[in-house]
Amino acid sequence: MGAYHGPDRHHAAPKHGRPMRLGIGGPVGSGKTALTAALCKVLKDELDLAVVTNDIYTTEDADFLRRNAVLDDERIMAVRTGCCPHTAIRDDISANLDAVEDLEERHGNLELVIVESGGDNLTATFSQGLVDLQIFVLDVSGGDKVPRKGGPGVTTSDLLVINKTDLAPLVGADLGVMERDSAKVREGRPVIFSSIREEPDVPKIADWVRASVHEFLHH
């Protein structure tokens, strides 16, 4: 997908009649909430968007987004899963689907709803009944062996983000090895290396999201 620099507000009615739903998943501490916050800050003046967060027992991720004022409070909803996070995004999606549909009903012109999963392992994937596209976030602190371990999040997500690249020298992770192994297991699906600390506007990821939303709504 090429870079896309903003929605055409005068385009014909969206093809799907609803916003694109984007899942962001990955292991604990990989940077999912930071990425969600960054995307909201960058895209909120271009796209009409909202967010659903998942935590097992708390609303910590939603509270973080609200404290950082990435969106108006009424555009952020928290789901307490009360169980393993992948259950609420893959097996019994009812609570998340209710939250997404509530946001869509309250904000009738939404173009994008981000569903951030609670932290899980490499087996976490979103149900296709919940989201249209999925980003899976790894970080380098797990070591450069993680991409070659595979798992559905790594191999089949629409975009793999390898985050916290600034930490690679500190943890002895070889980014070249991670790039090679990611390309091998993903069979041509896109991979983006990122350091939100160094590039808080996540330009490559934001471009991918822009292009994805535009294609979903209008093509």
Side-chain angles (χ1 to χ4, degrees):
M1 295 178 184
Y4 172 63
H5 300 292
D8 179 357
R9 298 290 184 178
H10 303 289
H11 202 285
K15 178 179 74 170
H16 297 272
R18 62 166 177 81
M20 191 185 89
R21 301 168 181 175
L22 173 66
I24 297 181
V28 174
S30 59
K32 299 181 300 298
T33 307
L35 176 58
T36 300
L39 288 172
C40 289
K41 289 178 181 178
V42 171
L43 298 175
K44 66 181 180 181
D45 293 331
E46 307 172 33
L47 296 173
D48 202 327
L49 64 93
V51 174
V52 176
T53 66
N54 281 253
D55 281 299
I56 297 178
Y57 300 119
T58 70
T59 60
E60 182 174 340
D61 288 347
D63 295 340
F64 173 85
L65 297 178
R66 291 188 179 108
R67 282 196 307 273
N68 284 273
V70 300
L71 292 175
D72 293 339
D73 285 0
E74 67 269 16
R75 291 175 175 267
I76 301 168
M77 291 191 69
V79 171
R80 292 186 181 95
T81 64
C83 57
C84 292
H86 72 257
T87 302
I89 63 170
R90 186 185 67 198
D91 302 326
D92 180 4
I93 64 172
S94 56
N96 271 288
L97 200 56
D98 285 347
V100 169
E101 291 176 348
D102 187 27
L103 285 167
E104 291 175 355
E105 184 175 343
R106 282 195 276 154
H107 306 280
N109 295 316
L110 286 178
E111 295 163 296
L112 172 64
V113 178
I114 297 174
V115 182
E116 184 212 349
S117 171
D120 209 327
N121 54 34
L122 300 180
T123 67
T125 56
F126 288 81
S127 166
Q128 292 182 349
L130 178 59
V131 302
D132 302 296
L133 295 176
Q134 307 180 32
I135 296 176
F136 196 76
V137 185
L138 295 177
D139 75 280
V140 303
S141 64
D144 52 31
K145 64 183 181 297
V146 176
R148 66 175 172 265
K149 288 186 173 182
V154 172
T155 60
T156 66
S157 59
D158 298 285
L159 174 65
L160 176 64
V161 171
I162 297 179
N163 193 27
K164 303 183 184 179
T165 54
D166 53 303
L167 298 181
L170 303 178
V171 298
D174 187 326
L175 297 180
V177 168
M178 300 185 84
E179 183 176 18
R180 180 199 67 200
D181 292 345
S182 297
K184 182 177 180 180
V185 301
R186 286 182 57 76
E187 299 179 340
R189 297 180 184 90
V191 180
I192 293 176
F193 284 76
S194 174
S195 169
I196 298 175
R197 182 189 301 272
E198 294 179 336
E199 290 187 306
D201 56 345
V202 292
K204 293 180 181 178
I205 304 170
D207 274 350
W208 184 89
V209 174
R210 286 186 186 100
S212 298
V213 172
H214 184 67
E215 183 174 347
F216 178 85
L217 293 180
H218 302 304
H219 290 283

